[in-house]
Amino acid sequence: MRLRRVFLLAAVIALLVQGVPARSADIRVLVLPFDMHSAGDISQARRDLMETVASSLKALGAEIAGLDEVRRLVVDKGVERFDEETALSIASRVEADFAVLGSLTELSGRLSADWRVLDLKEGVLTAHYFRSAGSLRELLRKVDETMHHVYVHMKTELARRPVEKEGLIEQVTVSGNRRVDGEAILSRVSSRPGEPFSQDKVREDIKSIFGMGYFDDVAADLSDGRKGKVLTFIVREMPFIKRVEFTGNKELRDEKIRETLTIRENTVLDRVLLRENADKIKALYAEEGFFLAQVEPEVQTDGLDATVTFRIREGDEVRVRRISFIGNEVFTDDELKAVMNTKEYWVFSPLTDAGRFKDLYFQNDLLLIMKHYFDNGYVEADITDHSVLLSEDKRWFYITIAVTEGEQYTIGDVEVSGDLLTGIAELKKMLLVKPGEVFNRSRLASGINAVTDFYGDKGYANVEITPRTRLRRDKKLVDIKVEIRKNELVYFERIEITGNVKTRDKVIRRELEFKEGQLYTSTGIKRSKNNLKRLGYFEDVQIIESMGSSTHRKNVTVKVKEMPTGSISAGVGYSSIDKVIGTASISQSNFLGTGLKLNVMGTVSASSSRYMIGLTEPWLFDKPISAGFDIYNLRREYPDFSQERKGFEVRLGFPLYKLVTRGLVSYRLEEVKIFDVSPFASYFISSQQGSSTVSSVRGLVRHDTRDDAFFPTEGTVITVSTEVAGGPFGGDTNYIKYAADAVRFFPLPWDTVFSIRGSVGHLQGYGGKSAPLYERYFLGGINSLRGFQTRSVGPRDPRTNEILGGDTMLVVNVEYLFPFFSQKTMKGLVFFDTGNSYDGGIDFGDLKMSAGTGIRWFSPLGPLRLEWGFNLAPKAGEKASQWEFAVGTAF
């Protein structure tokens, strides 16, 4: 090792011989090898530094002296460290005026050069210099710039000879500072006038000034004054960042890149921080699949202000070409790939993001693969190795995962012990595991959560449920023992509401199914969160629990993020039903933050007009009772007649169970006019011509457990209603209308949702009167059977072939929603619809069927639906497909 160092030092000396030719030399300088301080090997950096020092001085006019003598000391004598004593000992032999000696240090990725000038004639240090940079290239540039100052200093010292070089410090000054006050700089200096000059103190002073963080460069200059030494600290201030810009970024917006940065405008430029931020941008691109991205920071400065530009070369996005498995026999490659979020690239990847590689997702995929094995009884399965290889052309990733599967285990004995609040049989039922079944870890975890909620609803928020498993390998059984420790009862202590800028606290609090001082309830917390999300006021709702003043007290923070709940609009639009439409509306579902719903609307098209004003108070007198009214005037033209409806409706709602099941009673009074009937219309339509009055009362029960108002992922909505018109309520139309509607949402992997909806209805007249035409069931369109034109499905007049509508209807809608373009407010979907309307009972042999796809988008204008349906069995006169869209509420 020692011999290796000797040769390295010899190489340094050899480099000093090279360089640019010197002009006629008037100063002879002895350049000694610098010391090195680093955890790694920086010998190449030292060679570059020494070459820069020597060549710069030669170019300025100095002669580099003593090369042979230094080489002899290194090679023959084995000298590795050169200090002032060594320099003075060889001064008489090399006939040099000055010696330059110092050190090179690497710390935390930053390089610094610390060197001093020794007057060989007088035997005293005359100057000290310190330069620091984030890269070798930058350091060499700074050293090269400083050599002019070093050369001028040497010439000045020669001119002053003979001058007394010993004595006290007469004055300490600062130069080069513009923004930073000189007194502030000197307050960091330990060298004081009247004290003896100390090179060690000066060195520490330079480091202390540099540590203030405001300077790009700090140096010390020593000269003779009238009574002693004049010590001058020369500083170069770091510029202030005025602008941060990006070039070359096409895949990522400026705003997204800025979110990752810690460097800010109107702060002092920090070159170490600058490099760190470039690495952050590179890491951000890697997260998006651009592993070949290169980011270089560039600084343009006038000395005071700086513009930082991150120059980005994005490169090609690296995609996943193939995912392979080794050792899997129970599950095929395709089955294991199906549980992963990382997917192979395919033709529709630009729409679905399939093929992108994100290391965080991939690490989670490894856990998902193990979860799949554990959920199917393979409790000894393991991932023994995995690799992600980049192709030679740096365009594709090839992923290989090696697994061991082991044997499949079933459930043996199931035991429950500890603090039991109910029977063992009931608790075992909650655990969802039975002896003889294939062991499923996720199912057991769901069971533990169910027992936790059971105890939580009894007030035991800190219940400890510990499942223990024991393998019986000889019989391939997993014995499960669950130990329960209920701990003490817990009460709600304080409830804090945050994030609501507009919505009043009481509007949020009244949706909570728990109160301060009340016994803890875990189900109440979950239901409260869903209650708030169903309001449609908030983009996000979080309920955060924390310990209160003691272990049996809980504080709860309800954190909401509000979303726009109102709009004012006027303009011209287009509907697939009404074609060109003129609209003007004012709507607010959270008026003045009180929860009051207000809607004023006017709509005019070529075939219809609609004017309405409505108001609903969801909590009348701060009680869970809703009250509201609508006043409206609706007019629509159909192919064979026109219809106008004028009237009003008042309603009153009340809770039946918690806040998820409500009853509603409404009264409607309206005048309906059928006019402009075609002379070729059917007899049934012609007989409806004229005016009639509808006076009806409707009773409705609605059960709603959805977790979101716009994009629910789980829950159920069930609505059952009966409307009675005429009879004791007056009017000249008598009918009874029964309706039931139910929809269930099922969360699926990859943030997808499956839903199924069924609707049935029946209409009948009484008192010798038939039900009116305008209350019959006309199906088809975006709100019933997609793929069929609006009002095109139902019984027809056998003579005129006109749609007359049915008195009974059935509709079933099945949907699968999935994320679209990675936007939370936009979903894609595929659907299947079936149903029909009938005169009389439902005929399951006569069902219309359609399938299709579409987009759901919560746009700034409101919920938007764009859907394209295909008639799966078109008959004569029916179109093969139909596309439709709607914005906000249906016209």
Side-chain angles (χ1 to χ4, degrees), residues 609-613 630-636 642-649 667-675 690-696 732-733 774-775:
S609 63
R610 180 177 182 176
Y611 306 100
M612 184 181 72
I613 180 170
D630 291 324
I631 302 173
Y632 53 87
N633 185 335
L634 313 176
R635 177 183 171 276
R636 180 178 291 277
S642 296
Q643 173 183 291
E644 185 178 43
R645 306 177 75 154
K646 301 178 183 178
F648 70 90
E649 179 183 88
Y667 172 74
R668 175 166 59 105
L669 178 64
E670 70 176 12
E671 180 186 11
V672 183
K673 182 179 180 181
I674 304 295
F675 59 99
S691 298
S692 58
T693 301
V694 177
S695 178
S696 71
D732 48 25
T733 56
Y774 45 81
E775 293 294 338

Side-chain angles (χ1 to χ4, degrees), residues 171-240:
Q171 184 180 7
V172 181
T173 63
V174 178
S175 69
N177 55 311
R178 294 179 173 181
R179 289 193 179 96
V180 184
D181 184 68
E183 293 298 325
I185 299 173
L186 291 177
S187 68
R188 305 295 293 265
V189 171
S190 60
S191 299
R192 293 285 185 265
E195 296 180 354
F197 172 78
S198 170
Q199 180 63 39
D200 292 335
K201 272 191 175 183
V202 171
R203 183 180 304 160
E204 293 303 316
D205 289 341
I206 288 176
K207 292 181 179 179
S208 178
I209 296 172
F210 193 82
M212 295 177 70
Y214 298 118
F215 306 107
D216 195 34
D217 218 351
V218 181
D221 183 68
L222 190 66
S223 59
D224 289 326
R226 296 178 61 185
K227 298 180 180 181
K229 301 287 186 181
V230 175
L231 178 61
T232 303
F233 292 97
I234 306 167
V235 299
R236 185 169 67 190
E237 293 180 350
M238 286 185 178
F240 268 60

Side-chain angles (χ1 to χ4, degrees), residues 283-530:
L284 177 63
Y285 268 94
E287 290 179 8
E288 298 296 325
F290 292 86
F291 291 86
L292 305 179
Q294 298 295 321
V295 182
E296 289 296 332
E298 182 181 280
V299 178
Q300 294 180 334
T301 178
D302 59 4
L304 288 176
D305 297 325
T307 297
V308 174
T309 303
F310 290 97
R311 300 199 177 277
I312 301 169
R313 294 191 300 274
E314 295 178 327
D316 294 329
E317 185 174 11
V318 183
R319 296 284 191 167
V320 177
R321 169 66 83 182
R322 187 175 64 243
I323 302 175
S324 304
F325 293 88
I326 299 174
N328 55 312
E329 296 179 358
V330 177
F331 300 109
T332 66
D333 284 15
D334 288 340
E335 288 174 315
L336 295 179
K337 290 177 189 178
V339 305
M340 298 174 64
N341 289 316
T342 303
K343 301 295 182 184
E344 294 172 332
Y345 185 83
W346 68 309
V347 64
F348 290 111
S349 288
L351 298 179
T352 63
D353 276 349
R356 283 195 168 185
F357 180 84
K358 297 185 179 181
D359 186 65
L360 184 63
Y361 287 6
F362 177 66
Q363 295 302 322
N364 185 61
D365 286 337
L366 300 178
L367 299 177
L368 292 176
I369 293 171
M370 296 311 303
K371 175 181 178 296
H372 183 68
Y373 273 101
F374 294 157
D375 290 350
N376 286 276
Y378 295 92
V379 297
E380 295 181 305
D382 192 18
I383 293 178
T384 58
D385 196 9
H386 64 273
S387 65
V388 181
L389 299 179
L390 184 63
S391 63
E392 291 185 4
D393 59 5
K394 297 184 178 182
R395 293 186 57 222
W396 302 104
F397 279 126
Y398 291 85
I399 298 175
T400 304
I401 302 171
V403 300
T404 57
E405 297 176 325
E407 300 290 333
Q408 189 181 54
Y409 281 72
T410 55
I411 298 172
D413 298 330
V414 179
E415 299 180 18
V416 181
S417 62
D419 302 326
L420 308 183
L421 297 183
T422 187
I424 291 179
E426 184 66 24
L427 289 171
K428 286 184 177 181
K429 186 177 179 181
M430 292 182 197
L431 288 173
L432 303 175
V433 291
K434 297 178 182 178
E437 292 182 342
V438 172
F439 178 79
N440 186 315
R441 190 175 67 173
S442 293
R443 190 172 175 84
L444 175 61
S446 298
I448 297 297
N449 289 336
V451 176
T452 302
D453 287 344
F454 173 76
Y455 275 74
D457 286 343
K458 304 293 184 182
Y460 296 100
N462 299 322
V463 61
E464 298 176 24
I465 302 178
T466 307
R468 305 185 188 278
T469 58
R470 182 172 66 91
L471 300 183
R472 283 191 275 165
R473 290 183 171 84
D474 56 336
K475 296 183 178 181
K476 301 297 181 257
L477 294 176
V478 180
D479 294 332
I480 301 172
K481 184 177 181 180
V482 177
E483 299 175 359
I484 303 175
R485 183 181 177 186
K486 64 182 182 182
N487 294 316
E488 57 189 340
L489 288 168
V490 176
Y491 295 84
F492 291 110
E493 184 172 30
R494 189 176 73 252
I495 301 173
E496 183 179 0
I497 312 295
T498 65
N500 54 318
V501 177
K502 178 179 65 175
T503 308
R504 300 182 185 180
D505 274 16
K506 75 171 186 177
V507 173
I508 297 174
R509 287 183 181 274
R510 67 195 186 191
E511 299 293 332
L512 303 180
E513 297 190 19
F514 56 89
K515 292 180 173 59
E516 293 168 343
Q518 194 178 64
L519 198 63
Y520 180 88
T521 166
S522 57
T523 302
I525 288 179
K526 293 179 181 179
R527 283 202 301 257
S528 298
K529 182 177 180 179
N530 290 346

Side-chain angles (χ1 to χ4, degrees), residues 744-795:
R744 179 71 183 272
F745 300 92
F746 302 89
L748 295 177
W750 312 307
D751 197 25
T752 62
V753 178
F754 174 82
S755 68
I756 181 168
R757 177 175 188 168
S759 300
V760 294
H762 178 66
L763 173 70
Q764 66 181 54
Y766 69 94
K769 295 183 179 180
S770 300
L773 169 69
Y774 45 81
E775 293 294 338
R776 294 174 68 84
Y777 297 106
F778 296 83
L779 302 185
I782 199 168
N783 294 313
S784 57
L785 291 175
R786 290 159 289 190
F788 296 86
Q789 289 183 294
T790 302
R791 293 175 61 93
S792 67
V793 177

Side-chain angles (χ1 to χ4, degrees), residues 674-727:
I674 304 295
F675 59 99
D676 290 341
V677 177
S678 169
F680 306 103
S682 68
Y683 172 77
F684 179 72
I685 295 177
S686 299
S687 66
Q688 301 285 315
Q689 187 168 220
S691 298
S692 58
T693 301
V694 177
S695 178
S696 71
V697 172
R698 183 175 66 144
L700 178 147
V701 175
R702 179 182 175 88
H703 177 74
D704 188 350
T705 61
R706 291 173 300 165
D707 61 349
D708 191 78
F710 302 107
F711 288 125
T713 61
E714 60 181 356
T716 303
V717 183
I718 302 173
T719 306
V720 179
S721 66
T722 299
E723 181 182 8
V724 179

Side-chain angles (χ1 to χ4, degrees), residues 1-20:
M1 179 61 73
R2 183 177 181 278
L3 184 60
R4 179 174 177 269
R5 291 176 178 173
V6 168
F7 281 116
L8 286 175
L9 283 171
V12 171
I13 303 307
L15 281 170
L16 297 183
V17 183
Q18 303 171 5
V20 297

Side-chain angles (χ1 to χ4, degrees), residues 750-855:
W750 312 307
D751 197 25
T752 62
V753 178
F754 174 82
S755 68
I756 181 168
R757 177 175 188 168
S759 300
V760 294
H762 178 66
L763 173 70
Q764 66 181 54
Y766 69 94
K769 295 183 179 180
S770 300
L773 169 69
Y774 45 81
E775 293 294 338
R776 294 174 68 84
Y777 297 106
F778 296 83
L779 302 185
I782 199 168
N783 294 313
S784 57
L785 291 175
R786 290 159 289 190
F788 296 86
Q789 289 183 294
T790 302
R791 293 175 61 93
S792 67
V793 177
R796 294 176 178 269
D797 186 297
R799 183 177 64 85
T800 64
N801 201 37
E802 292 173 289
I803 303 293
L804 303 179
D807 57 23
T808 305
M809 73 89 178
L810 168 69
V811 174
V812 176
N813 308 111
V814 179
E815 293 184 345
Y816 177 73
L817 277 82
F818 51 88
F820 202 64
F821 288 128
S822 302
Q823 294 187 25
K824 293 182 179 180
T825 58
M826 183 177 290
K827 303 281 185 180
L829 78 148
V830 292
F831 64 82
F832 171 79
D833 293 343
T834 184
N836 209 337
S837 66
Y838 311 90
D839 273 330
I842 296 173
D843 181 2
F844 290 100
D846 182 19
L847 292 173
K848 302 287 188 181
M849 290 182 289
S850 66
T853 185
I855 297 173

